Amino acid sequence: MPRDGLTTDQIVRAAIDLLDADGLDGLTMRGLGQRLGCAATAVYWHVENKDNLVRLAVDELWREVRLPDLEANDWRAAATEMATDLHAMVTRHPWLLQALATHLVYGPGKARHDDHLFAVYERAGFVGEQADRAVGAVFVFVLGNAVGPAATVALNRRLRRDGGDAEQVLGEAVARATDLAASYPRLSARLPSPTDDVNAVFAGTFEFGLAALLDGLQARLPDQETAAS
Amino acid sequence: MPRDGLTTDQIVRAAIDLLDADGLDGLTMRGLGQRLGCAATAVYWHVENKDNLVRLAVDELWREVRLPDLEANDWRAAATEMATDLHAMVTRHPWLLQALATHLVYGPGKARHDDHLFAVYERAGFVGEQADRAVGAVFVFVLGNAVGPAATVALNRRLRRDGGDAEQVLGEAVARATDLAASYPRLSARLPSPTDDVNAVFAGTFEFGLAALLDGLQARLPDQETAAS
DNA sequence: GACAGGAATTGAACTAAGTGCAAGTCACCC
DNA sequence: GGGTGACTTGCACTTAGTTCAATTCCTGTC
């Protein structure tokens, strides 16, 4: 049992690793202790409880996200970059979606990110409530895109825990879907073959939707002519 | 203990009530039994396990959603109606977001709904992959909008469970946010007053974002060569 | 160099929750 | 009225968050 060296930072980083692998329920204090080479309860000296640990982990994620240079780009490029970076982050850490849906989290990391978001959209010409709504719309769109990845993580966790062959389980799911889609020709035409990556269905949705959403927002700018360049 | 009358349907309905009140973690088999006036384990005769119960509950929700008449409306009105109805449903049952993020769910209810969605977007002129992406983009946007309501439910659950004054907890959260926003003028200007409804921040975001997104999608219709490229 | 005191860690134990199991209970049919 | 099968129950096992008293380690002080 290595004595010293257990820091809050280490704990948060290990927690993020476990969360990435198995989602919000996959993080257990005992598992965390095992990974850190200490007793599960040792963590409680550094962190109040699991909820707060998750809060810390969430805020750590926000810190990871790059903020684009506001001077160098037009708002559209900056907004796209921020949304894309955020999407990459949430895809890598889909438990963030679960965390935001179950914890009231507002830490310094998110404040920093939010401020930059508002800067981009205000520079575009959005003012007041409209800026709030534009920022909010893009934000929830990005978050919604994490539902698929989160489900994939949850599925993998189930497979790892209950044993069971991934191929077989997925095959059965596809078979069930095929069965369900039988009465709907539009769905039958879209069924993924069992060899496909399940996530392939979602590929491209984000880029396509983001571009469309930003187009629509841009068209709603109070002063369109000056913003177009 | 009333003997007969325990049906799967009753169980699912009671489960939905509990889920609405307290979210995914708020549904416990013991609590469900108590509500139904039977032992917790009685449920297991009708339902394989909690996971499957959630699956049944999810599919029941899909069945609730109305499907607009395709003949009567143009695609834009139909798409708006479907998204709005879906939004209303997810807002009423925010645990659906959690369920979709942790369970692979594809039941008859969702198949029915998806088919209608594709019908609307194909009628608009979207074809193939583009239809998939348009449908997917709107869908994840609607889901993302449920994060706020889900967090609110989780907060209320915490308050109810741990005791504690809602006013006070919210007041502290606002105070913390104010503190965090101190270094960011854009955020300070947007702080909700403690008397505001927290959800008021999100009000309007959905309608605004949906209209913008549909505008953007419409501009991407294959037969529309009007938009600058 | 011994030691006091605080920092950090540990194992045992309590609680809540999902669930398997074997025994019990009821309704209905011969 | 007794058997059969559908349904229900209490008990107990397991996992997980958390508390707590006890223990160990480090550090500064005499």
Side-chain angles (χ1 to χ4, degrees), chain B residues 1-19:
Chain B
M1 324 284 171
R3 174 81 184 186
D4 68 9
L6 192 56
T7 64
T8 306
D9 212 58
Q10 263 176 40
I11 292 173
V12 171
R13 233 184 293 281
I16 290 177
D17 284 349
L18 294 181
L19 286 163

Side-chain angles (χ1 to χ4, degrees), chain A:
Chain A
M1 324 281 172
R3 176 76 184 192
D4 68 10
L6 192 56
T7 65
T8 306
D9 212 58
Q10 266 177 39
I11 293 174
V12 171
R13 233 183 293 281
I16 290 178
D17 284 348
L18 294 181
L19 287 163
D20 288 348
D22 275 341
L24 204 51
D25 299 333
L27 173 65
T28 72
M29 302 307 269
R30 286 170 171 77
L32 185 58
Q34 193 166 2
R35 173 170 189 115
L36 289 166
C38 67
T41 51
V43 173
Y44 282 88
W45 199 91
H46 302 271
V47 158
E48 198 181 340
N49 54 28
K50 187 179 173 179
D51 266 21
N52 275 11
L53 175 55
V54 170
R55 264 180 261 267
L56 290 176
V58 167
D59 209 63
E60 181 63 28
L61 291 194
W62 288 115
R63 250 185 275 271
E64 274 183 23
V65 184
R66 277 183 311 159
L67 301 184
D69 184 2
L70 283 187
E71 312 301 325
N73 302 303
D74 63 6
W75 85 272
R76 181 67 184 254
T80 302
E81 187 177 331
M82 285 196 81
T84 304
D85 280 2
L86 187 56
H87 175 248
M89 189 265 267
V90 181
T91 303
R92 217 168 24 237
H93 311 288
W95 52 271
L96 178 62
L97 177 67
Q98 300 170 283
L100 293 181
T102 48
H103 295 65
L104 262 193
V105 190
Y106 205 85
K110 182 143 179 8
R112 157 183 169 272
H113 188 262
D114 278 358
D115 181 69
H116 214 76
L117 268 181
F118 281 121
V120 168
Y121 284 78
E122 284 185 352
R123 174 168 266 253
F126 289 105
V127 289
E129 219 172 36
Q130 223 180 27
D132 292 357
R133 289 174 175 172
V135 167
V138 175
F139 185 67
V140 299
F141 171 72
V142 175
L143 278 190
N145 273 277
V147 172
T152 302
V153 169
L155 174 64
N156 285 335
R157 168 168 150 80
R158 246 165 260 252
L159 288 175
R160 206 169 319 130
R161 154 181 281 228
D162 306 341
D165 185 23
E167 305 277 334
Q168 186 202 339
V169 172
L170 281 181
E172 282 169 14
V174 170
R176 223 170 9 244
T178 308
D179 203 46
L180 280 173
S183 20
Y184 303 104
R186 284 180 211 86
L187 298 186
S188 306
R190 281 164 220 280
L191 280 174
S193 80
T195 56
D196 281 352
D197 181 8
V198 183
N199 290 326
V201 181
F202 306 111
T205 299
F206 171 72
E207 286 80 5
F208 184 76
L210 177 64
L213 179 54
L214 289 178
D215 278 357
L217 293 177
Q218 193 157 17
R220 282 176 163 63
L221 274 171
D223 49 349
Q224 267 166 297
E225 305 81 59
T226 45
S229 58

